[in-house]
Amino acid sequence: MSVMRPSAELLRCYYTGESVQQVQRAIGLLKPGTPPIPTAASIDQQFLEARVFVNLLEFRNCYTRYPLGIAAVHPEPNGITLHVESEERAAEILLNLLPTYVSDQEVHGVPGLRITRRELTAVELRVLGTSTRLRLAGLPATVWRKAVARMISKWIDPTPAFLCWKSSPRAWTEAESAHRARWEGPDDEFPQIQRRGAWIGSGMLRRAALLHRVSNTFFADGYQGGGETARLVLRTSHVRGQGPGPHNIVSALVHPVLGLPLRVKRFRGDTDEKRYAEQQFILGDADKTAVLDLRTESAGPGSHLDPELWQDILRRLPASGFTESLPPGVLVGLWGAGKA
């Protein structure tokens, strides 16, 4: 059994949203020398988690109490559990993760991904033929069944032949195999770049709760970029004048024990957050395999945000920031990052 300092246990709660008791149990099961937030043990698991994180960012069709609709995460070396906020968000996630045949050699979702197990409060998904493991939890079994039905009803033509995960629950379909051969082949440079940089998306998913535990974030979206380096663009909206600002996210990400191997490369914006200016932090690793482009703004509720939901968001804002947060000016100057 590994022995961790109480401070490490408490800090992990900021990143994952777990309770102290859950963190203590989880850390107690880790092998000695394993970081408090373990990395994914396999490349396949890492790549799946990176795709899931981008999916959570790209397909934001509704406002949620938590920025990603994920209340907490439970990272393990061989898998991860996401605690989903609501049935609506669960249906939205399943809709965009489970593979569906769209056209010739094109599949929407994650090829090979299947629901392999149903539990009392969760469903487990795996990519067939790999050791990957993703659990979506937080809802009763009856609600998960409703979420799946709700997801299917959103398709224009829910014919089983087009729903790869439904027509072939235990094997890849020809459409999925053709898609992988065309878009994810070993000779294609883009997917290889994305696989090398998948650690950043996986690492962010394993720390997803920090978006709402350390700063006044109320919405987040983004996308995966191209180029010679894997690029993850994360855009966050923050409540004006209430709670800790977005620089707390950066402080948490560069923490030497619980953060990611990132440093601030470039900064654009005003270091005085009281001015409600937009800010942009560019973070990267020493090996130049991945870049995180964090773009933040201070804003009020959108016209489509229900007033009651907005009040729920305000009530769940953290009262204080990251334990070891540094102000924007210090973050920028600490590594000699210049304004761009």
Side-chain angles (χ1 to χ4, degrees), residues 81-308:
T81 298
L82 310 181
H83 291 265
V84 184
E85 174 183 322
S86 64
E87 177 191 336
E88 183 179 13
R89 186 60 173 138
E92 186 181 35
I93 292 171
L94 290 172
L95 173 68
N96 293 298
L97 282 181
L98 290 172
T100 303
Y101 177 69
V102 179
S103 61
D104 184 35
Q105 295 186 339
E106 187 175 349
V107 172
H108 175 87
V110 179
L113 189 67
R114 301 290 189 272
I115 296 176
T116 57
R117 184 180 177 185
R118 297 175 185 271
E119 304 171 9
L120 290 177
T121 60
V123 293
E124 183 173 289
L125 300 94
R126 294 176 182 265
V127 175
L128 298 176
T130 72
S131 60
T132 56
R133 181 169 177 264
L134 168 68
R135 291 178 72 250
L136 301 178
L139 303 173
T142 53
V143 177
W144 278 113
R145 285 194 290 270
K146 291 179 181 178
V148 172
R150 184 173 186 167
M151 178 264 293
I152 293 177
S153 70
K154 288 191 175 185
W155 283 103
I156 297 175
D157 184 3
T159 305
F162 292 97
L163 305 178
C164 304
W165 59 275
K166 193 173 180 65
S167 63
S168 182
R170 295 180 178 83
W172 284 58
T173 62
E174 291 185 8
E176 291 172 292
S177 297
H179 177 98
R180 180 170 61 174
R182 180 176 181 180
W183 301 108
E184 300 179 18
D187 298 327
D188 193 330
E189 185 178 4
F190 178 75
Q192 299 311 311
I193 290 174
Q194 297 305 318
R195 290 185 78 89
R196 283 196 299 271
W199 62 268
I200 194 166
S202 172
M204 289 298 297
L205 185 67
R206 288 171 172 253
R207 295 162 176 77
L210 69 82
L211 293 177
H212 61 263
R213 287 297 301 271
V214 308
S215 76
N216 54 1
T217 316
F218 72 88
F219 187 80
D221 68 2
Y223 57 90
Q224 178 178 275
E228 298 180 356
T229 303
R231 189 178 191 87
L232 178 62
V233 178
L234 174 59
R235 299 179 297 209
T236 58
S237 298
H238 301 262
V239 181
R240 289 175 176 167
Q242 261 187 277
H247 69 276
N248 286 269
I249 296 174
V250 182
S251 292
L253 287 176
V254 300
H255 188 274
V257 178
L258 288 102
L260 292 170
L262 294 168
R263 58 177 289 179
V264 178
K265 300 284 189 177
R266 193 164 70 249
F267 172 79
R268 178 186 290 116
D270 198 309
T271 57
D272 183 1
E273 293 201 334
K274 294 180 180 179
R275 297 172 65 90
Y276 306 130
E278 295 182 358
Q279 296 179 331
Q280 180 183 25
F281 291 91
I282 305 294
L283 300 95
D285 65 312
D287 294 330
K288 299 181 179 180
T289 62
V291 169
L292 175 63
D293 182 347
L294 174 61
R295 307 174 187 182
T296 75
E297 66 169 358
S298 295
S303 59
H304 297 293
L305 204 162
D306 182 89
E308 291 186 9

